[in-house]
Amino acid sequence: MKTRITELLGIKYPVVQGAMAWIAEHHLAASVSAAGGLGIIAGGAAPVDFIRDEIRKARALTDKPLGMNIMLLSPNADDLAQLAIDEKIEVLTTGAGNPGKYMENWKQAGIKVMPVVASVALAKRMERAGADAVIAEGMEGGGHIGELTTMPLVPQVVDAVSIPVIAAGGIADGRGMAAALMLGAEGVQCGTVFLATPECQISEKYKDLVLKASDIATVVTGRPSGHPVRALKTPLQRKCLELEKHVDNRSLEEIEAATAGSLRKAVQDGNYEEGTFMSGQIAGMLKELHPCADVISGMTAQAEELLKNAYKRFA
Ligand SMILES: Cc1cc2nc3c(=O)[nH]c(=O)nc-3n(C[C@H](O)[C@H](O)[C@H](O)COP(=O)(O)O)c2cc1C
């Protein structure tokens, strides 16, 4: 399947593995890139040396294009911006902020830049700043989210910019991918489906919770503090929802204290009581583990088949 995204990124399938802090490390990213998608190492707030190590370990596993994500509000964003240049990263995705001040240096280094956006206004601003593509992310997805769902967001972004658009949020098979392509996207970014792969290095408990999740298993917390997060409904999320019913300084501080480091507790320790198990709504559809290569090629083959034969359904 050829789109402007496969051409731009030099990849076989228009499937990007979304950044996931503490999760998107070298095993996962290299497996996705080796399988013909685009693997992404998540920068998060991790130390620069750690990320450099992850990039080099991924490079040792595959010579295919590799991406990295920078959360622009993180304290080490400047250092990560330089690291991407030093390590000759092919593609950068960015979140939480405006990459404008780095753009010239990244362009000179030949890096393709794809900011994650949750609104039309931000997509336009990113195009003006020189982005090569944008990732329009709907709030069905796991992790930090915006307000719009994928279905209304993607076509509005597609209409507003001339650079290619990648759809994210709620996509885990060829049906979702075909729908995204029909909305005008030229690629998809998935996070949750890659939690259910053998290559993903999260705790067994985390994988188990994703595979057992129902359609209504996720909740959004953090709206009062302005940083909404979608995660599986576990004891910590229930506690946050309770505290959010009566918001004051004390409850916000209590939430902050309870959630600090909680994704790491889920990822590394499988700590059911204190962990935040970030996940998108599409977890309800994932019933068993599949290798990254099968996820990517299977999704694309199914989308192609559906799109090619769509006319028969309505003839
Ligand atoms: C566990 C988890 C952690 C995430 N962490 C990040 C992150 O650190 N940075 C980021 O830009 N997006 C993050 N995301 C969003 C993903 O990159 C991706 O856009 C999203 O998962 C797509 O929606 P889906 O979950 O329905 O596939 C995260 C998603 C999940 C599920």
Side-chain angles (χ1 to χ4, degrees):
M1 188 185 281
K2 272 205 178 101
T3 69
R4 282 192 292 170
I5 288 298
T6 56
E7 300 291 303
L8 177 73
L9 307 182
I11 55 178
K12 186 172 176 195
Y13 302 106
V15 180
V16 176
Q17 162 250 310
M20 295 183 275
W22 296 111
I23 297 171
E25 47 67 78
H26 67 277
H27 294 98
L28 183 62
S31 303
V32 170
S33 286
L38 180 76
I40 291 188
I41 305 273
V48 171
D49 288 347
F50 177 81
I51 301 298
R52 183 184 298 110
D53 226 44
E54 287 300 312
I55 293 169
R56 291 186 180 177
K57 285 177 178 161
R59 294 286 194 206
L61 295 173
T62 180
D63 58 3
K64 294 279 166 40
L66 185 69
M68 175 183 153
N69 175 259
I70 303 181
M71 300 307 282
L72 296 164
L73 289 182
S74 87
N76 60 358
D78 285 351
D79 296 336
L80 290 175
Q82 186 56 43
L83 179 71
I85 295 172
D86 297 342
E87 293 298 314
K88 300 185 169 45
I89 281 290
E90 285 87 350
V91 187
L92 271 173
T93 65
T94 62
N98 191 337
K101 70 170 177 169
Y102 305 115
M103 214 53 116
E104 202 180 318
N105 286 348
W106 287 344
K107 290 274 143 155
Q108 271 176 13
I111 298 174
K112 306 285 184 283
V113 185
M114 311 198 300
V116 178
V117 301
S119 71
V120 166
L122 192 57
K124 285 175 152 175
R125 207 180 313 148
M126 293 299 114
E127 181 176 44
R128 280 199 300 274
D132 296 280
V134 285
I135 301 167
E137 187 188 59
M139 55 92 81
E140 302 93 322
H144 292 270
I145 53 168
E147 286 300 330
L148 292 176
T149 54
T150 304
M151 185 76 100
L153 176 66
V154 172
Q156 293 188 74
V157 170
V158 166
D159 287 347
V161 298
S162 54
I163 51 177
V165 176
I166 294 174
I171 301 165
D173 69 3
R175 293 172 298 177
M177 185 178 187
L181 295 172
M182 292 311 290
L183 294 175
E186 297 183 55
V188 297
Q189 170 168 290
C190 307
T192 300
V193 72
F194 289 111
L195 298 175
T197 61
E199 294 94 336
C200 185
Q201 306 290 306
I202 53 177
S203 60
E204 283 308 307
K205 182 70 182 172
Y206 202 147
K207 281 192 191 175
D208 198 44
L209 289 172
V210 169
L211 296 180
K212 289 196 174 127
S214 73
D215 54 343
I216 54 166
T218 69
V219 287
V220 178
T221 58
R223 282 212 166 94
S225 64
H227 301 291
V229 170
R230 184 178 298 285
L232 295 171
K233 206 185 301 169
T234 53
L236 179 58
Q237 264 48 49
R238 287 199 174 89
K239 179 179 172 183
C240 290
L241 289 176
E242 260 322 292
L243 287 166
E244 285 175 11
K245 280 184 185 162
H246 311 284
V247 180
D248 55 23
N249 283 346
R250 203 177 57 81
S251 64
L252 285 177
E253 274 167 25
E254 215 175 308
I255 291 171
E256 167 98 34
T259 53
S262 61
L263 175 60
R264 192 176 184 175
K265 287 181 187 167
V267 171
Q268 295 180 349
D269 313 332
N271 184 334
Y272 184 68
E273 296 298 322
E274 296 173 7
T276 293
F277 296 81
M278 290 182 184
S279 165
Q281 292 180 329
I282 205 67
M285 207 172 72
L286 308 173
K287 297 299 168 213
E288 52 193 35
L289 302 184
H290 293 286
C292 291
D294 293 0
V295 170
I296 295 165
S297 64
M299 178 185 292
T300 311
Q302 189 187 17
E304 272 176 336
E305 180 66 21
L306 285 169
L307 293 170
K308 270 187 204 143
N309 294 313
Y311 72 95
K312 288 187 195 156
R313 296 174 160 230
F314 312 107

